[in-house]
């Protein structure tokens, strides 16, 4: 069983403190992965939190607004590499054979903003017994310089590439919430929840929960959005939080 798991940047960092890892949250997530029966058949993606979003906001870069400022590119990509090293190190210390994969070196958007991301390195690393760890990043963008590539977009690209059986997005919230604050069980269409969907409650240049739901609806496999407490349950095969199932007959 192959799993694609995104650890939200808002989970593993102190999202309001620039470049600060939330050590307690990261080690809880790492233990859940290391202790799960999924073993090495997992691709991990992590988001930006207070590493990427902080710098991206400073330089005015988002998934659609690019930059040609080399200092901005180095600041944003460099911060994401530092967070990636922290995640890979923590996984390695827990005995998970984690290796870094940096999307900036591989991905590209064309002039229409359409993303191409080679994935043969990820599938090969996986079949060779490694756990690839990718991250939200920048990508070269024709006509725009470099734009943000969110971890949610990576999940959408990677899930079909590795033929994922389970896709999980672990965020700070227990699922997608309706206007009354209750976790929505299943989402099949953006319009059904649009009015309840906001951005993020922290600095976030990739659209917060609305961006996440829109991206995950593009997947043919169902994706689950859940909170950190539910990560062990997700890895044990349960279905906590919200199931987002765009192309799937419900
Ligand atoms: N209807 C909603 N249901 C749940 N969360 C929502 C909703 N509307 C807005 N949000 C916000 O979405 C945020 C989760 O998205 P965010 O992009 O910040 O998370 P993340 O993926 O964990 O972090 P990162 O983008 O750094 O990887 C929460 O801060 C939450 O307040
Ligand atoms: C801000 C950057 C560079 C990465 C964004 O990734 P996300 O937190 O998954 O949206």
């Amino acid at each position: 069983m192959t799993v694609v798991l995104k650890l939200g940047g808002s989970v593993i960092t102190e999202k309001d403190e620039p470049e600060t890892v939330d050590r307690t949250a990261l080690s809880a997530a790492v233990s859940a992965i290391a202790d799960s029966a999924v073993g090495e058949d997992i691709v991990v993606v992590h988001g930006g939190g207070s590493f990427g979003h902080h710098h991206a906001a400073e330089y005015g870069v988002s998934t659609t607004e690019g930059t040609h400022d080399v200092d901005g590119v180095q600041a944003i990509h460099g911060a994401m590499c530092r967070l990636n090293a922290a995640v890979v190190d923590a996984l390695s210390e827990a005995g998970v054979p984690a290796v870094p994969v940096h999307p900036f070196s591989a991905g590209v958007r064309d002039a229409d903003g359409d993303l191409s991301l080679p994935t043969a390195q990820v599938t090969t690393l996986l079949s060779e017994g490694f756990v690839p760890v990718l991250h939200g990043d920048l990508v070269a963008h024709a006509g725009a310089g470099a734009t943000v590539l969110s971890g949610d977009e990576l999940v959408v690209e990677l899930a079909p590439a590795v033929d994922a059986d389970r896709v999980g997005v672990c965020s700070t919230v227990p699922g997608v919430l309706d206007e009354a604050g209750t976790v929505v069980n299943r989402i099949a269409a953006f319009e059904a929840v649009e009015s309840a969907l906001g951005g993020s409650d922290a600095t976030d240049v990739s659209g917060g929960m609305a961006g996440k739901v829109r991206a995950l609806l593009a997947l043919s496999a169902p994706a689950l959005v859940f909170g950190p407490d539910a990560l062990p349950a997700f890895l044990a095969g349960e279905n906590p939080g919200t199931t987002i199932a765009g192309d799937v007959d419900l």
Side-chain angles (χ1 to χ4, degrees), residues 30-103:
V30 163
S31 300
I33 294 168
D35 295 346
S36 91
V38 172
E40 274 105 61
D41 211 358
I42 183 167
V43 178
V44 177
V45 175
H46 65 80
S50 62
F51 285 69
H53 291 287
H54 164 72
H55 292 286
E58 190 182 322
Y59 285 92
V61 187
S62 69
T63 51
T64 50
E65 290 298 313
T67 185
H68 291 88
D69 182 340
V70 71
D71 292 339
V73 170
Q74 287 177 4
I76 299 163
H77 175 65
M80 288 311 302
C81 288
R82 287 191 283 282
L83 178 57
N84 184 251
V87 174
V88 169
D89 285 353
L91 285 165
S92 303
E93 279 163 26
V96 177
V99 291
V101 176
H102 303 299

Side-chain angles (χ1 to χ4, degrees), residues 6-10 15 45-49 51-57 61-63 76-77 79-80 135-138 147-154 203-208 212:
K6 181 191 170 193
L7 298 174
S10 60
K15 211 166 172 177
V45 175
H46 65 80
F51 285 69
H53 291 287
H54 164 72
H55 292 286
V61 187
S62 69
T63 51
I76 299 163
H77 175 65
M80 288 311 302
H135 53 89
D137 205 342
L138 291 177
T147 48
V148 167
L149 170 63
S150 83
D152 302 325
E153 290 176 274
L154 287 170
T203 306
D204 191 301
V205 298
S206 51
K212 207 176 298 304

Side-chain angles (χ1 to χ4, degrees), residues 5 14 56 77 124 127 142 151 164 173 195 198 200-201 213 220 226 228 247:
L5 171 68
E14 306 278 1
H77 175 65
T124 305
S127 60
V173 279
S195 57
S200 172
D201 54 13
V213 171
S220 54
F226 51 84
D247 290 344

